[in-house]
Structure formats: C-alpha cells, structure tokens
Amino acid sequence: MKITDLKVDLINITYTHTMSSATSKASGTTKCIVRLGTDEGIVGLGEAPGGAETHEEILRAYEAVRGHDPFRIEALVERLPGPHRGLYGPTPTAMSAVEMAVWDIMGKAVGRPVCDLLGGRYRAAVPVCAPLFTDEGAEADFASATVAAAEAAIARWGFGAVKVKAGVYRPGTELGALRALRRQFGDGLALRVDPNGVWSPEESIRFGQRALDLDLEWMEDPTWGIEGMQRVRAAVPIPLATNMCVRNFDEVPVAFRARAVDVILGDHRIWGGIWPTRKLAALCEGMNVGFGLHSSHELGIATAARLHLAAATAHLSYPIDVTHWFHADDVIEGGPLPIRDGAIAVPTGPGLGVEIDPEALERGAARCRRDGPYMTTFTHPSRYRWWV
Ligand code: MG
C-alpha cells in the first residue's frame, strides 16, 4: 500500500465561552482537517490546529511521505525531520496531522482500532480532566466563578479532576480559588493549577508553600524552564508537571537529571505524532517519571487519536485534559465524543474509529470562509504582571 493523495479542509469551531489564560485568549479555534488517501482506496483522517500556515506545513509533510508504505511507521516518522530535532522540515504540528492519518489507515486496513496497534486496549475508557479557563470577570469574583464553572462541568460530565488556568490574577487570588474548590468538593476531586510558566521561581515557591494543605495533584509549569522548575521542586513537596519545559527528546534527560519534573505531559502535536509520544511514554515509564497528556483543544479526530494512545499506555496514570466540552460544534459523526462519569469510551471501530460528518465539515468550512481563521491572542491582556 502507498500514500497517494491528500485533501485538507480548514474549518472554524467556536467556543461556548471565551477561553482566557495567562498567555492566550480565544473565542474559537481553526483546524486543518486532513484526509490522506492510498492506492488501495483507504482514507485516513488527521487534524491539526492552525490555518493557512499549518496547511502549508501539512503539504510539506505530505510531500515527505508521498509514495510511502503506511505500515512502515518508524521509517515514515524518520522521513519527517523537524525543527524540534534541529533540522529543517515541517513543524511537529503538521507532522502529527499526517502521522495520525497514517495510523487511521493502518487500523482500517487490518480492521482493528488504533489502540490494538499500539500495545492493545489496556483500558476501555479514559478518565478526563476539565481545564477551567478564566472568563475575565472581576478578580474579587474569581473564586466563586471558578466554583460555579466547576459545579456546572462536574454536574453535567462527572469530571473527577479539574485544572485552574492561573497566572491571570494575583497568585493569592488564584490560591483562593483552589481553596474554594477544595472546600466545595472535598478530597475526592483532583486539583491542578497551571499558570503557564508566568510566575517567577520565588512566586512559585511561595504559592506552593501556601498550598501544601490542598493536596494538589500537581502544579503545572508554575515557572519557566528546567532550571526554574528545579528550584521550585527543590523547595516545595508538590509534584510538578510540564508541557512547556520538556517539549523534545533532547530536554528529557536534562529534566530527569535535574529532578525538575515529576510528570511529563505528552501531546502528539508537540512531539510530532502518536509514535514519538508513545516513545516518550516509554522513557517516562523506564525512569519512573509520571506521564499524562496535554490538550491542544482537539476536535473529535484528534481526541480519538489521544484516546487510543491513552488506552494502550498503562503508564499513563492521570486523567487527560480535554476541552471539547466547551466547543460549540465538531466535525465527526455523532458530534463531540461524549464524556460520561468523567471519562470517554475509547472508540472500538477500525482505525481511529471516528468518521467525518460532511455537513459538520461544511458548517466549519463555511465559518472559516466567512470569518477567516480564528486567531488566538497570545499574552493575555490582563496577565497580572502587566498591572501589578
Ligand atoms: Mg499546561
């Protein structure tokens, strides 16, 4: 079998509320939806965030694998050398969209779900965590707004873990929101905080020391860089997780040696595909370092890819972030993958186990034609450093 053609559609999906964090602000997301064809008529699906630039990069990634046998995944990934390895090539984001479609092709070719090709179904459903993004209310209302948002999400979807996106207000205000969540929901709810690296090491240490009684699952990227994380971790007995200071294989041993991180959050979009992310999980397992999955606001295709990866990875031992519960639409048949009792069932059909809904695809494409790609504003205007 050979990879022989590619079709990419740009679509817009709106959010049900504005998503604000320390470093970004967005009311929707633009995705490239990939359909990768073969000479045997099997079409694989992929998805990546981004508009025209991502589209261009996906075309470059496709050129590198055109004519390639989808089943030679190791060789195929090697044909996609990227900037994360100090080489010229398409971005990991673009690579991941094509590589995801290759896994879908393989699964469809053999009539098995992708998780069966990654080690088999270790778990049938994957627990998920709700990141709570601030919605720019008054700072004094942040704790009550956070509790209200968590109450609504937990009542509807049964989340057993929530993450407060922080770094927008003063650290003490955000600590107050975590304290209010613990008071409201008791010990059964897993709590995380993620200011996207905007606190200084000293602020992070102070925050962590004041948060010791809250039994946080982790602090995620409280401060920037492996050195900064190392300083925080040495001073605070709370696990540190990252999707920001370890983003390529070169940084893994550095962070391990520095004892800077307890949990690495993989993401096929950051690591260049499912296969490299699976290798990252094995590294973490071998070093007895935690492994979880970061979310890049996936729609149904990429969510299915993450579910298969999570299903086949015993070492993944934390609920994975998902955000599609505040997306107003999706692109797959049946709409967004349902969250029940804080978990999502792993699709059981061949390949990724999801298919494009042509009407939903057209709705998203029409929004993109009408509005142009949705832009995420980076560096949130109320990031607290700007006015303190
Ligand atoms: Mg994060």
Side-chain angles (χ1 to χ4, degrees):
M1 186 166 32
K2 286 188 173 65
I3 295 167
T4 53
D5 57 84
L6 171 77
K7 183 163 175 36
V8 181
D9 291 281
L10 269 65
I11 69 163
N12 281 3
I13 299 289
T14 54
Y15 297 150
T16 56
H17 63 273
T18 301
M19 185 206 79
S20 300
S21 74
T23 54
S24 65
K25 179 177 166 71
S27 321
T29 180
T30 297
K31 305 287 189 198
C32 289
I33 303 299
V34 165
R35 283 178 277 186
L36 193 66
T38 64
D39 59 348
E40 296 186 12
I42 298 174
V43 176
L45 305 180
E47 172 196 319
E53 287 177 10
T54 302
H55 187 189
E56 286 294 315
E57 291 284 325
I58 288 172
L59 295 179
R60 293 178 72 201
Y62 167 66
E63 284 305 319
V65 304
R66 186 160 61 157
H68 203 277
D69 177 354
F71 278 91
R72 294 179 56 222
I73 192 74
E74 178 86 345
L76 188 143
V77 168
E78 283 294 303
R79 288 176 74 109
L80 294 168
H84 62 310
R85 290 170 64 177
L87 297 164
Y88 295 107
T91 60
T93 296
M95 291 160 56
S96 74
V98 171
E99 196 248 20
M100 183 185 303
V102 170
W103 283 100
D104 195 27
I105 289 169
M106 284 194 280
K108 285 171 174 167
V110 298
R112 303 293 293 257
V114 166
C115 62
D116 284 7
L117 309 179
L118 288 169
R121 193 180 300 264
Y122 177 81
R123 50 176 75 84
V126 177
V128 290
C129 169
L132 303 174
F133 290 86
T134 59
D135 204 1
E136 290 194 284
E139 181 171 2
D141 298 333
F142 183 58
S144 57
T146 300
V147 168
E151 265 174 343
I154 290 167
R156 184 157 176 198
W157 293 288
F159 288 107
V162 302
K163 175 163 92 178
V164 173
K165 293 297 287 188
V168 175
Y169 300 116
R170 284 172 291 197
T173 300
E174 293 166 344
L175 182 66
L178 287 164
R179 208 169 282 294
L181 287 171
R182 182 58 81 215
R183 235 185 350 257
Q184 182 72 17
F185 297 101
D187 292 339
L189 185 68
L191 286 180
R192 309 168 183 176
V193 61
D194 179 9
N196 284 102
V198 305
W199 295 336
S200 68
E202 304 91 291
E203 286 166 328
S204 306
I205 290 168
R206 211 171 294 130
F207 186 99
Q209 287 174 342
R210 292 174 67 195
L212 285 178
D213 61 320
L214 292 178
D215 189 28
L216 298 182
E217 188 167 44
W218 64 56
M219 296 202 295
E220 184 171 323
D221 291 304
T223 197
W224 178 249
I226 292 171
E227 289 279 345
M229 293 281 277
Q230 179 186 25
R231 285 167 59 195
V232 175
R233 187 63 183 87
V236 177
I238 296 175
L240 297 190
T242 187
N243 62 277
M244 294 177 71
C245 75
V246 181
R247 293 173 68 90
N248 61 55
F249 286 107
D250 193 41
E251 290 164 340
V252 173
V254 182
F256 284 177
R257 275 197 299 270
R259 301 276 190 264
V261 296
D262 299 271
V263 181
I264 294 179
L265 303 171
D267 181 335
H268 60 272
R269 182 186 72 75
I270 294 170
W271 293 81
I274 293 170
W275 192 234
T277 310
R278 190 69 180 79
K279 290 182 178 180
L280 172 66
L283 272 177
C284 290
E285 183 176 9
M287 296 298 289
N288 204 10
V289 168
F291 177 74
L293 288 182
H294 168 259
S295 170
S296 296
H297 309 289
E298 299 80 9
L299 306 182
I301 298 168
T303 299
R306 303 171 73 228
L307 292 174
H308 287 288
L309 178 63
T313 306
H315 186 60
L316 183 142
S317 47
Y318 297 99
I320 68 172
D321 283 348
V322 291
T323 65
H324 64 264
W325 50 278
F326 61 75
H327 298 179
D329 203 354
D330 206 301
V331 73
I332 58 170
E333 282 177 4
L337 289 166
I339 301 168
R340 292 199 182 92
D341 298 328
I344 308 178
V346 182
T348 54
L352 294 172
V354 295
E355 288 302 332
I356 286 174
D357 174 346
E359 287 180 16
L361 184 72
E362 177 47 33
R363 278 198 303 275
R367 279 190 293 267
C368 194
R369 286 193 298 270
R370 187 191 65 201
D371 301 337
Y374 292 148
M375 301 298 290
T376 297
T377 306
F378 293 103
T379 306
H380 186 266
S382 64
R383 177 173 162 173
Y384 81 95
R385 278 185 195 291
W386 288 40
W387 53 267
V388 159

